[in-house]
Amino acid sequence: MATVTFDKATRIYPGSTKPAVDALDIEIADGEFLVLVGPSGCGKSTSLRMLAGLEDVNGGAIRIGDRDVTHLPPKDRDIAMVFQNYALYPHMTVADNMGFALKIAGVNKAEIRKKVEEAAKILDLTEYLDRKPKALSGGQRQRVAMGRAIVREPQVFLMDEPLSNLDAKLRVSTRTQIASLQRRLGITTVYVTHDQVEALTMGDRVAVLKDGLLQQVDTPRNMYDKPANLFVAGFIGSPAMNLVEVPVTDGGVKFGNSVVPVQRDALSATSDKTVTVGVRPEHFDVAGADSDQGVAVTVNVVEELGSDAFVYGTAQIGGEAKDLVVRVGGREVPEKGSTLHVVPRSGETHVFSTSTGARLSD
Ligand SMILES: Nc1ncnc2c1ncn2[C@@H]1O[C@H](COP(=O)(O)OP(=O)(O)OP(=O)(O)O)[C@@H](O)[C@H]1O
Ligand SMILES: [Mg+2]
């Protein structure tokens, strides 16, 4: 068991001038489940491969526990990796697939059998040990790939989009299995996904990357409640947070007829004429038609989900038509074409600098 430290770790691919991963700084606690998330090309796999030793580190350092592993070959790092294409050996049984790394390492047969059987029990694969991979479902194959990593009893698990070959329903059940398995084994894990829902549901903490730069590393709750900047605000949450550019007036911020509180210091720190106000779809209250607060939203589309519904509409804010998404109760669904008065709930609004993207509100 061990901590993992990215200490200003940088990767610049040959022939490129821009780092794919730029001075990445994260300290991962012993036993923690850390999820790296971000859009395609942001540097998630590169970060993981640097930790695995599959990619050179051009600046900074990487440590596992108190060992500096920056320039150690992969085999000396005591890690096990589960990839998206877990590529099981088709001609070997499940048991042989799971024990292969131990066999290469020269572990004796009885010992291998014991470790494979233990892992199979944990993963509910006991009855499949003598089958070939082609006789397994996608989810079972995925568990064999996990089993291969588990039998090695590494200090750190690395997983790069291990669920992306599974269908939507299986992904949801398997992600719960992986998260609970990780908690049971207590092995420090770095998990890569581009899916923010997967990130929030699985991680003890989540690190958001964009263009090789770490945007925020935080618990799922803090990430959702206090996104550090406009990018994180728009990336985490589905449907996305409503982000509306509004003028700054007299040191205050107006969202339609509602005043959004923001500390004076924060506003005076920016010379911007406008700021961006963020409100999540579930943080609007529906007001009476005669309300002089908030904004009037013309309903364009309603997406019913049973328990609740998302209203996609248009509102006039600061003299411009803006698209807004509002979550309403499943039994209070407005008609298409009607008008809905909504007020951003106090304490649930976010204010960002439009020019730098930095969070200005508390
Ligand atoms: N071997 C390579 N040589 C040169 N550039 C590379 C190489 N591998 C990746 N890159 C570039 O580095 C950047 C980061 O790539 P990386 O694979 O880490 O992204 P990612 O976040 O894992 O994306 P995805 O979600 O699509 O898997 C991208 O711009 C990519 O084009
Ligand atoms: Mg990748």
Side-chain angles (χ1 to χ4, degrees), residues 30-86:
D30 183 17
E32 183 170 7
F33 196 120
L34 182 101
V35 180
L36 286 176
V37 69
S40 183
C42 71
K44 304 179 294 294
S45 295
T46 304
S47 304
L48 205 66
R49 291 169 59 81
M50 288 160 81
L51 174 54
L54 300 171
E55 211 64 77
D56 285 343
V57 177
N58 306 109
I62 294 180
R63 288 187 291 278
I64 297 177
D66 43 23
R67 285 187 305 152
D68 185 332
V69 300
T70 317
H71 302 292
L72 278 189
K75 66 175 175 47
D76 297 334
R77 296 192 181 202
D78 204 2
I79 49 153
M81 194 148 170
V82 182
F83 294 95
Q84 170 181 351
N85 294 313
Y86 28 82

Side-chain angles (χ1 to χ4, degrees), residues 16 45 114 174 178 180 206 234 239 257 259 280 286-287 315 317 322:
S16 173
S45 295
K114 183 167 154 265
T174 311
I178 292 184
S180 72
V206 176
N257 293 324
V259 176
R280 293 204 183 275
V286 177
I317 303 175
K322 311 272 187 187

Side-chain angles (χ1 to χ4, degrees), residues 237-249:
S238 174
M241 185 187 284
N242 294 288
L243 294 166
V244 181
E245 198 177 331
V246 299
V248 178
T249 49

